[in-house]
Structure formats: C-alpha cells, structure tokens
Amino acid sequence: MRTLELLIEFSQRYGADPELVNAGGGNTSAKVDGIMYIKCSGTALKEASEVSFAKMDLKKLFRIFERTYPEGDREREAAVLADMMACCTPGEEHKRPSVETLLHALFEQKFVLHLHPALINGLACSRGGEAEAKRLFGDAIVWVPACRPGYTLAKLMYEKMKTAKGRIGVVLLENHGVFFAADTPGELDRMLRDMTERLTGCIREFPKTGDGGAEPGYGKKLTKLSGCEYFCYNGSTTAKAFAESFEAVKDMLTPFNPDQVVYCGPGAGFIDDVEKAGAVNKRMAIVRGVGLYTFGSTEKQAQNAMLLAEDAMKIAVYSRSFGGPRHLPAELVEFLVHWEAESYRKAL
Ligand SMILES: [Zn+2]
C-alpha cells in the first residue's frame, strides 16, 4: 500500500475511537522522499482523506529550528506560521497544516501518531507523572514539561530529543498528550497497546462517566443564566461524585490540557444551589448533588464541551493513581485563551 493510503487508514481508525480522540484533538503524519504529509488544522481524524493532509518540504521545515524569532508571542507565532506555510509544496499553499507540524517533523520514523487519550493524560497530567513515566518506560521515552504551545513547545521538544539516548519513538507532553513514531502502522498499534496496558495495570480507581439518569430539569434555567442556547448534562457516578461538595469538585474547576481550554473555556463553575444561582459565565458548571452541565451557542458546541468535560473527569480520576492531578499552569491557560491558532480548531 502507498504511504498516503496507510496514513489515511490508520488516521480514520484511531480517529473513530472515542477513547482516543475528542472533537478536534490529535493528528497524524507520514514521511516519504523528503516530504511530510501532515493533517491540516480544522479537519477531523476520523474523516481523513487525501485532502486532509498538507504536503510539506521537510528540509525547509527543519530550517525553522535554526532561525531566530521575535520575543513577543503574537509576533513570534505569526512569523513561524508564515514560515511554516512557506514549507507547503507547490499547489498546497491554500492548506493550513496542523499547529503541531514542527513536532511531527522531529521524528525520523515514517509514521507519527499524536493523541490526547484520557488514560495517558492521567499520567501526563499528574504530579508524579514524570517519575512514574521514567519508572515504567525508562529511557525509551522523552518527557517534555508543560510549556507554551506552538514554537516554544517545538523548540523545547527539539532540544529534549537532541539530548535523548538513541532513536526516540515515544514522547509524553506534560498536560497535553503523547507522540508515537514508527516505520509501520502495525508498530504504532503495538506501541499504543503496550502503553495502554501498562498504564491500565497501574490504575487503582476507574472513572464511570457513561451511566446516570435523565436531566433533572435545571438545564433550561442554567442555560439562560449562561447566556447560551443549548446544554448537555452528565449525571454519571463520577460526575455525581465530583458534584458532592466544593472539596470534591476542586479538581474539575481548572483545565488539564489545551483541548479543555479550547472547547470548555478556561475554567468551570460550581453551583451550590440552582434556585439562588446568578449568572453562569462558564461553558461548564457542576451543580451540587446533581451533576455536570456544559453550555453552547450551538448544539455542537455544547456537545463538544461535554466530550471534553467527560475527558477531564477521566483524567482527574486516573491521575489519582499517579500522585494526584496536576492542572495546566494559569499562565498557559491565559496564553491559550488568546491564541489565534486554537480558535481555528474550535470551528470544528
Ligand atoms: Zn496535541
């Protein structure tokens, strides 16, 4: 099979698995003859086809790591984006390659799979994550501390991989997700399965986010208070456990990863009593004794927010097996709220 066909096949397969991909998260790439096919921003993995991938010149992409860029976030990211767009091969200039293109380019291997699965993020968003990753996987993986996305992250990962021993096939990004790189899709499958099995073996408490009954009737009022038109509700065992008290909900009030900032906003609210509730200026709210709500100006927006809220519940529970949750630092949440590249993804 041709490289591009293999890439499309495994992109669709992983993209269709809700345990691995939520809304617009995750991307894939393949390299052949100095060209990298990378998933475009604003396209869903499960709908991958030939047009979902931008063809980029790898040699030109690597030159970006050697350049000096402005200090200011906005100026730097705009300059890097312009340089990155200039790496598209002729005829591909209208495409918008993933904001994570540079990270994919760093791997020598033919195929790269980048995901944000809740189980793996349970480790990547935990206080003991780095030590636990070392204990479980040794030098076979590179751990990249949480930092600003875009060029800052690409540069940091570039430095980390340069100093790592041997050929690196797995990179864990703190408060973000995981990269797998291999020369065949079968090898990617094996690597993902291996990590999933080993982490599952460490989990002492599993989330239960798919059960629970009907919405108890507060949705309409809360939606009005939020200024939105649509809501989604989750009254599962895990949602109810978080909704028990202010102490219990604490781990759900701030985001774990960029996906949550993009789809659920910079934080969640806790409502003690719906009768007395004032304006709900959040996309996600947890109501004491009731469960979790998400809001949106469209149905899709409310649903996507719920996907990521469920993801947050899972991460919060999984992280307890790795020393407890570690949230995205406030400075990074602030950065993401204003990042133009992510507003593009939200359009999904
Ligand atoms: Zn990512």
Side-chain angles (χ1 to χ4, degrees), residues 25-27 100 103 114-116 173 176-177 179 259 345:
N27 42 56
E100 292 167 330
L103 309 180
H114 170 52
L115 299 168
H116 313 149
L173 304 179
H176 181 150
F179 273 91
D259 280 349
R345 190 148 74 96

Side-chain angles (χ1 to χ4, degrees), residues 147-332:
C147 73
R148 294 182 178 200
Y151 191 64
T152 314
L153 171 59
K155 252 316 230 223
L156 182 62
M157 188 159 141
Y158 171 73
E159 299 299 337
K160 290 267 172 198
M161 286 180 74
K162 225 168 50 180
T163 52
K165 287 182 207 133
R167 197 183 191 218
I168 290 299
V170 186
V171 173
L172 276 168
L173 304 179
E174 188 177 46
N175 290 108
H176 181 150
V178 64
F179 273 91
F180 294 104
D183 290 323
T184 64
E187 180 71 359
L188 287 178
D189 291 345
R190 193 196 57 73
M191 292 163 95
L192 173 63
R193 203 169 48 236
D194 179 61
M195 184 174 275
T196 304
E197 280 172 12
R198 295 183 75 176
L199 293 183
T200 304
C202 299
I203 302 297
R204 295 186 297 270
E205 181 189 349
F206 286 87
K208 215 172 167 188
T209 58
D211 59 346
E215 200 276 315
Y218 303 119
K220 271 210 176 103
K221 179 178 179 181
L222 290 170
T223 308
K224 215 176 236 165
L225 290 174
S226 76
C228 291
E229 283 190 48
Y230 296 88
F231 75 90
C232 286
Y233 168 73
N234 185 309
S236 63
T237 306
T238 297
K240 285 243 167 77
F242 281 117
E244 230 164 63
S245 64
F246 192 75
E247 191 50 35
V249 81
K250 257 184 4 209
D251 293 343
M252 286 295 293
L253 298 183
T254 39
F256 283 105
N257 54 30
D259 280 349
Q260 280 170 38
V261 181
V262 172
Y263 295 100
C264 286
F270 182 62
I271 297 168
D272 202 34
D273 182 349
V274 180
E275 299 306 323
K276 294 182 195 149
V280 180
N281 52 0
K282 307 276 188 207
R283 296 268 295 280
M284 167 160 81
I286 294 126
V287 181
R288 187 200 281 269
V290 177
L292 192 152
Y293 288 84
T294 56
F295 310 102
S297 345
T298 63
E299 201 171 3
K300 178 103 189 216
Q301 223 177 49
Q303 285 166 350
N304 276 341
M306 182 51 81
L307 283 177
L308 273 301
E310 286 168 2
D311 190 58
M313 289 196 278
K314 291 178 190 167
I315 294 172
V317 173
Y318 286 136
S319 72
R320 290 173 189 158
S321 299
F322 304 112
R326 184 194 190 277
H327 293 90
L328 205 54
E331 184 258 339
L332 294 181

